[in-house]
Amino acid sequence: AGIIKVIAAGMVSLKEPGRVTAGGFNKDELRFIVQAAATCGLGVMAHANGEHAIIDAAEAGVRSIEHGFFMSKRALEMMAKKSTFWVPTVGALKRAAESAHVSKETEDFVAGLIHSHLEMMQYAHGIGVPLAVGTDCVLPDSGYAEAYEAELVYFEQAGIPYGEVIKIAGECGANLLGL
């Protein structure tokens, strides 16, 4: 392994909009995992949604927050302080909602959550949270290139200038992965 990925919180529920599904580790367990991984020279990436899980993961010392839906300014400020990367994966939620054929109510909820996510991405960039691009696609995936390109567009929609988006996609992603 080159890195460890853990579940710090569940997924955004498409059946109960506004809720994160069960699952994950608490702050003490995350801290233990991060310390154990470090003894092997490995970093930890955390799948985390919701302010509480995001803050716990950042405080535990994870290298990155994957997804981070229901992100807050408070969580981003902790991440900036800890130099915790954020990989927002906006398209992952959109693709999940499209493939699940959700209700109009859930479609509207997802659209609002994506709008909020883009606002948090802009705030994160402004306060110096290190960002990286990810799709949440499992390779090989014939739609990967399209998903990656869409993710770059989301960064621009968040108000991040194109030149910065390219830096985030290349240099910042390499830094996250320790390359």
Side-chain angles (χ1 to χ4, degrees):
I3 198 152
I4 306 292
K5 183 173 179 183
V6 297
I7 304 296
M11 303 182 320
V12 174
S13 175
L14 295 176
K15 292 180 181 176
E16 298 177 51
R19 192 175 79 75
V20 174
T21 64
F25 296 101
N26 68 37
K27 186 179 359 181
D28 292 334
E29 292 166 330
L30 289 168
R31 187 173 287 118
F32 176 82
I33 292 166
V34 168
Q35 290 170 352
T39 65
C40 299
L42 299 171
V44 176
M45 296 177 162
H47 167 109
N49 293 301
E51 181 185 63
H52 183 73
I54 293 165
I55 289 173
D56 282 355
E59 286 180 340
V62 301
R63 241 169 134 166
S64 70
I65 299 296
E66 310 293 310
H67 311 301
F69 290 102
F70 306 108
M71 181 63 76
S72 68
K73 289 182 176 181
R74 180 173 163 241
L76 287 170
E77 288 158 4
M78 170 60 69
M79 291 170 64
K81 178 180 172 185
K82 294 286 210 169
S83 298
T84 306
F85 278 82
W86 183 23
V87 184
T89 63
V90 181
L93 180 60
K94 184 168 177 48
R95 288 189 309 277
E98 288 171 350
S99 68
H101 308 291
V102 297
S103 68
K104 175 68 172 132
E105 174 191 12
T106 300
E107 280 179 16
D108 292 344
F109 168 77
V110 168
L113 184 54
I114 287 172
H115 178 76
S116 171
H117 211 55
L118 295 174
E119 288 177 346
M120 291 294 101
M121 289 166 64
Q122 182 179 42
Y123 184 74
H125 183 259
I127 66 169
V129 172
L131 298 167
V133 179
T135 64
D136 208 37
C137 291
V138 177
L139 295 175
D141 184 324
S142 61
Y144 178 79
E146 182 180 312
Y148 191 85
E149 289 172 15
E151 213 57 46
L152 297 177
V153 170
Y154 284 123
F155 276 81
E156 287 185 272
Q157 288 175 350
I160 301 172
Y162 178 76
E164 285 293 308
V165 172
I166 296 305
K167 180 179 178 184
I168 290 165
E171 182 181 326
C172 295
N175 288 341
L176 169 58
L177 297 174
L179 302 176

